[in-house]
Amino acid sequence: MADLLKKIADFFAQLFSSYSTEATHINHIFIAFLVVAGLVFLLVLGLSVASVIRFHARKRPNEPKQIFGNNKLEILWTSASFIAVAVFFVISVRSMEAINTPVAKNRKPDIVVIGHQWWWEMRYPEYGFTTANELHIPEKKKLLMRMESADVIHDWWVPSLGRKIDMIPGHSNYRWIQADTAGTYEGTCSEYCGAEHAWMRIRVIAQTQDNFNQWVKAQEEIPAIPTDSLAREGAKLFQSKTCSNCHTIRGTAAEKRVGPDLTHLESRETLLSGMYNNTTENLRQWLKNPQKVKPGAHMPNFNLSDKELNALVAYLEELK
Ligand code: CUA
């Protein structure tokens, strides 16, 4: 019970927390709407209850006086709602203006995010590497993201950092991203995109500039050829079992972009778009039978033997 209450409290804390100017703007509109809607709700509820008590049939057995229309009241509530809508319209447009700062024509994106069924590809054109599902950004920096889709419509949403944005096949959308403080911000795909839509989680990891630079340096590196014999065996299997037909591991013959880039798989905290923590056991279960772990995912079951599984896991875990 205490656990559930904590979960509910955390949910509301997240709901009202913002870690960027963009999210703060949106939060203010949300709270303003909530307050006005709450007042209207209380007013209607109050009047209904008061009427039920005051005009109860037992107190007034005779038919009440029949009336029609009331100009004053009608003008009052029509203009009150008109004013409320007009005020919210102005607030919304001003926030949209503040959030969607225009993008200069020749401004190149800092990050390209591509939605796939059911994971996120993140490219850093400036540095030339690609990663998946966990977006690293430096804190307090306004970066431009280009949002694309490889298949169907997805929708990027990390509430504490701001608005949603659709990712549409054949059309690029742009949005800015900024986190005021270092931390991990969770999000999710918020446009139904198929069987595993619920498991398209996003993690934005905002870091101090130093930590971010370190991360970039590590990502730029090409992983060393494994020295351990089991991992070497795994590296061979990775090619012969055709994993390399879909995935990239830089420094090897695997350079396809159908599935997530695995060059630094071990540097990620989670697997399968936030479905599991990145542990040996979880990785093993996934490779053993992907369709059991994430039904519908585009990774086939290779019916690997225990020996092959050990070798592949040993190899993938060297990709730090
Ligand atoms: Cu991608 Cu829902």
Side-chain angles (χ1 to χ4, degrees):
M1 185 67 187
D3 222 40
L4 183 72
L5 284 177
K6 196 186 165 307
K7 265 193 185 155
I8 294 171
D10 283 351
F11 171 78
F12 280 103
Q14 273 267 310
L15 200 64
F16 291 102
S17 62
S18 56
Y19 296 89
S20 72
T21 324
E22 189 180 317
T24 308
H25 272 290
I26 294 171
N27 255 13
H28 287 166
I29 302 181
F30 175 64
I31 291 167
F33 264 94
L34 196 66
V35 168
V36 172
L39 288 176
V40 171
F41 173 72
L42 289 178
L43 182 73
V44 171
L45 191 74
L47 286 176
S48 308
V49 172
S51 306
V52 166
I53 295 168
R54 187 159 166 207
F55 303 109
H56 197 279
R58 236 178 291 148
K59 284 191 204 155
R60 297 168 180 243
N62 304 322
E63 189 176 315
K65 194 174 111 204
Q66 300 298 305
I67 52 164
F68 178 80
N70 184 324
N71 277 345
K72 256 193 209 157
L73 279 178
E74 278 164 28
I75 289 170
L76 180 75
W77 64 59
T78 309
S79 44
S81 13
F82 180 80
I83 291 168
V85 171
V87 168
F88 278 120
F89 177 75
V90 172
I91 298 178
S92 303
V93 169
R94 288 184 61 170
S95 302
M96 282 161 73
E97 227 176 26
I99 290 167
N100 291 335
T101 33
V103 179
K105 261 222 172 105
N106 52 0
R107 172 74 156 86
K108 295 220 170 66
D110 301 295
I111 303 157
V112 178
V113 184
I114 305 163
H116 293 256
Q117 282 175 320
W118 289 279
W119 59 282
W120 310 90
E121 179 179 347
M122 284 121 179
R123 295 186 189 167
Y124 290 74
E126 189 187 339
Y127 308 113
F129 61 76
T130 299
T131 180
N133 303 327
E134 295 176 3
L135 181 76
H136 287 247
I137 54 170
E139 60 171 352
K140 299 186 179 70
K141 271 229 168 121
K142 199 172 168 186
L143 301 179
L144 183 63
M145 302 205 291
R146 189 169 81 208
M147 317 302 285
E148 298 174 1
S149 168
D151 34 51
V152 299
I153 300 177
H154 301 276
D155 190 282
W156 168 278
W157 193 29
V158 182
S160 336
L161 297 181
R163 62 172 294 203
K164 297 177 176 185
I165 193 156
D166 269 358
M167 308 167 84
I168 299 158
H171 172 86
S172 294
N173 275 332
Y174 289 83
R175 61 154 295 158
W176 300 96
I177 187 167
Q178 179 175 355
D180 294 337
T181 22
T184 300
Y185 304 100
E186 310 249 355
T188 186
C189 179
S190 81
E191 175 81 38
Y192 182 70
C193 56
E196 295 296 336
H197 156 71
W199 283 120
M200 254 188 100
R201 298 291 169 83
I202 309 162
R203 285 164 83 81
V204 175
I205 301 167
Q207 299 170 295
T208 59
Q209 189 67 51
D210 282 353
N211 288 348
F212 177 74
N213 293 346
Q214 265 176 32
W215 177 80
V216 166
K217 234 177 132 203
Q219 295 292 313
E220 280 175 327
E221 265 170 35
I222 289 173
I225 294 165
T227 46
D228 170 68
S229 66
L230 191 64
R232 277 185 105 96
E233 183 58 34
K236 264 187 229 150
L237 281 170
F238 193 85
Q239 305 294 336
S240 64
K241 288 282 172 185
T242 69
C243 311
S244 55
N245 282 2
C246 290
H247 294 281
T248 297
I249 296 177
R250 273 183 290 131
T252 74
E255 50 191 21
K256 290 284 163 47
R257 281 173 154 179
V258 179
D261 187 306
L262 303 176
T263 310
H264 292 286
L265 177 68
E266 271 306 287
S267 72
R268 305 206 273 263
E269 292 166 1
T270 56
L271 293 173
L272 308 172
S273 216
M275 202 170 178
Y276 292 110
N277 289 329
N278 190 356
T279 65
T280 309
E281 190 45 36
N282 288 338
L283 182 59
R284 197 187 156 85
Q285 288 305 321
W286 165 245
L287 294 173
K288 193 174 175 185
N289 188 352
Q291 292 307 315
K292 197 175 155 207
V293 175
K294 199 168 183 176
H298 296 315
M299 176 134 138
N301 186 352
F302 288 97
N303 295 306
L304 301 163
S305 68
D306 274 353
K307 237 180 97 191
E308 289 169 329
L309 277 172
N310 291 340
L312 264 178
V313 169
Y315 172 50
L316 292 173
E317 293 209 315
E318 294 236 329
L319 303 172
K320 295 198 170 101

